[in-house]
Amino acid sequence: MRLAEMAGRRVGVWGYGREGRAAVRAALAAGAAGVEVVDAVPPADLPDGVPAGTDVAALAGCDLVFRSPGISPYREDARALAARTTLTSGTGVALAEFAARDVPTLCVTGTKGKSTTSALAAAVLEAAGRPAVHAGNIGTPLLDVLLDDAVGDGTSLVIEVSSYQAAAVEGWSGWGAVTSLAPEHLDWHGDVDTYYRDKLHVFAACGPGTVVVGPQARSIVERHLDPEVLVDPADVVPEARLAGFRPERLAGVHNVANVHVALAACVRMGVDLDRSAEAVRAAVADFRALPHRLYPVATRDGVTFVDDTLSTTPVSVRAAIDAFAGQQVTLIAGGQDRGLDYTDLAAAVVARGGSVQVLTVPDTGARLAADLRAAAAAAGVEAPVTETGSLADAVAEALRTARPGGLVLLSPGAPSYNRFRNYEELARTYEQILLDAGAQRV
């Protein structure tokens, strides 16, 4: 769907977060005959003439409805609305507009690594003399990028795409990249297979050789996309060549893999690594960890405190502790329970031979602690875990027990909605507790 198709039509907006606000703005700019917003809490800051309510059924009278990403299409009320009107998404509409304008566009997705990889790809394009705008799930809705005319002539677009956004995109064909895949957001998608299918749906119409796929995700992606569409990073940037592009400021082998995917995707988009090698090498070397992704935030008494609050799966926690192999790590983990399996993570922690000590917080902390005790018992060692009742309690225990040269890692392995509004509030609370205890910001 294009913006022009909204002219003279009644447009509904379901959900008034960042993407919902952008959708209202787009509908008004396109000349919609009327715009109506539905949200669990009706917003008070709507433009003049835009009514708001809480009854989803009221949107059935609209010609089309923007469904915000956080609202699952598998909900009963979403299915009922879809049967009565046309549902669309801000990401889908914006992608259609940019495609019509021949804007070179790279969509990056993955369970973990998509933020870092998309940011790296934008940095590589810039270093190679290709101006790039980085947007999407990373923070700026695509519709806002479109309406702000942020993408000029000769500019490429790099988009981080969540599974929620990807599921709603129809018919887009451009460049793609997939970092890693592991079970997540099962409450929204319903089951693991649907999660993978939805996450990869954005690439369903892509042409041969356009989607770079990291090795970890390859076997899963092949079940949902035509193998002819897929490209291995090593077939574009050989492993020997990759060694020349070292991410000096990023911890972990998973970030080396992210660099590989980003470089390969940029080469597929036309970057000449031979001609721009020095500039690209410098961009990769200087690239710093993004906030909330293995990001050092404070130090105290020789202990470094790291924010990895965007780590919401057991797989990402394992990558986090692997990034600090050889160091003494105090891991703080736990959050909203979405039924993920922690047994492999527990086994990996116990296999570290005591170099990782775990402090758990509710709700998933209880299950992780139980799995750690079981893994320790099987190995005949003491369980490296202490259960605590809150983030404040866990940080206090970490401050008491961590030794100089050690590292305290907040990597929840679960979402934070059971105690906090989002991961950002969790991160702010973590940092404030540390500062109140006399830690110094990094």
Side-chain angles (χ1 to χ4, degrees), residues 20-384:
R21 293 171 187 272
V24 169
R25 182 186 175 199
L28 294 174
V35 181
E36 183 171 355
V37 172
V38 166
D39 198 278
V41 179
D45 58 346
L46 286 162
D48 291 341
V50 177
T54 60
D55 185 5
V56 176
L59 296 176
C62 295
D63 297 305
L64 63 102
V65 174
F66 284 86
R67 175 181 54 79
S68 292
I71 300 168
S72 171
Y74 305 113
R75 286 170 36 169
E76 184 176 344
D77 53 358
R79 291 179 186 274
L81 183 61
R84 300 178 65 185
T85 189
T86 300
L87 298 188
T88 190
S89 74
T91 298
V93 170
L95 281 174
E97 288 290 336
F98 286 121
R101 301 177 189 189
D102 293 324
V103 174
T105 301
L106 170 66
C107 284
V108 181
T109 196
T111 303
K112 293 300 169 189
K114 59 185 178 292
S115 297
T116 297
T117 301
S118 56
L120 274 163
V124 169
L125 288 168
E126 290 275 1
R130 298 267 300 270
V133 171
H134 184 209
N137 189 63
I138 192 72
T140 305
L142 279 191
L143 280 177
D144 281 339
V145 173
L146 178 69
L147 296 170
D148 290 338
D149 292 324
V151 180
D153 292 342
T155 300
S156 297
L157 188 58
V158 181
I159 306 166
E160 180 194 324
V161 183
S162 72
S163 60
Y164 302 167
Q165 294 166 328
V169 175
E170 300 292 344
W172 176 78
S173 179
W175 302 102
V178 183
T179 57
S180 67
L181 291 172
E184 194 175 30
H185 303 309
L186 303 188
D187 56 334
W188 194 97
H189 297 275
D191 57 63
V192 174
D193 198 57
T194 302
Y195 166 64
Y196 293 149
R197 183 196 68 201
D198 286 346
K199 196 164 193 63
L200 299 168
H201 185 67
V202 64
F203 304 126
C206 286
T210 57
V211 181
V212 175
V213 181
Q216 184 276 339
R218 178 73 191 229
S219 62
I220 298 171
V221 176
E222 286 180 340
R223 301 203 301 264
H224 298 273
L225 296 176
D226 183 346
E228 291 296 316
V229 172
L230 311 181
V231 179
D232 292 323
D235 290 341
V236 182
V237 180
E239 294 282 352
R241 187 79 192 279
L242 176 65
F245 300 90
R246 300 177 63 85
E248 305 289 350
R249 296 170 178 259
L250 294 178
V253 294
H254 65 289
N255 275 322
V256 175
N258 290 337
V259 169
H260 205 177
V261 171
L263 286 172
C266 290
V267 170
R268 296 297 294 162
M269 293 180 73
V271 167
D272 186 338
L273 277 188
D274 290 326
R275 189 172 61 187
S276 56
E278 289 305 315
V280 170
R281 186 175 294 114
V284 171
D286 290 341
F287 188 89
R288 294 192 63 183
L290 298 175
H292 317 302
R293 302 160 180 87
L294 295 181
Y295 193 82
V297 293
T299 61
R300 196 187 86 155
D301 299 334
V303 177
T304 300
F305 296 84
V306 175
D307 168 11
D308 192 38
T309 48
L310 269 172
S311 168
T312 56
T313 68
V315 171
S316 59
V317 178
R318 184 166 181 177
I321 62 174
D322 286 347
F324 301 108
Q327 290 184 257
Q328 189 68 39
V329 175
T330 300
L331 169 67
I332 300 174
Q336 183 182 10
D337 199 337
R338 290 185 170 177
L340 300 179
D341 186 348
Y342 291 90
T343 54
D344 287 348
L345 172 60
V349 169
V350 170
R352 286 284 292 267
S355 66
V356 178
Q357 296 293 318
V358 182
L359 302 172
T360 66
V361 299
D363 297 329
T364 56
R367 287 203 296 113
L368 175 56
D371 289 340
L372 284 163
R373 293 188 186 103
V381 298
E382 184 177 351

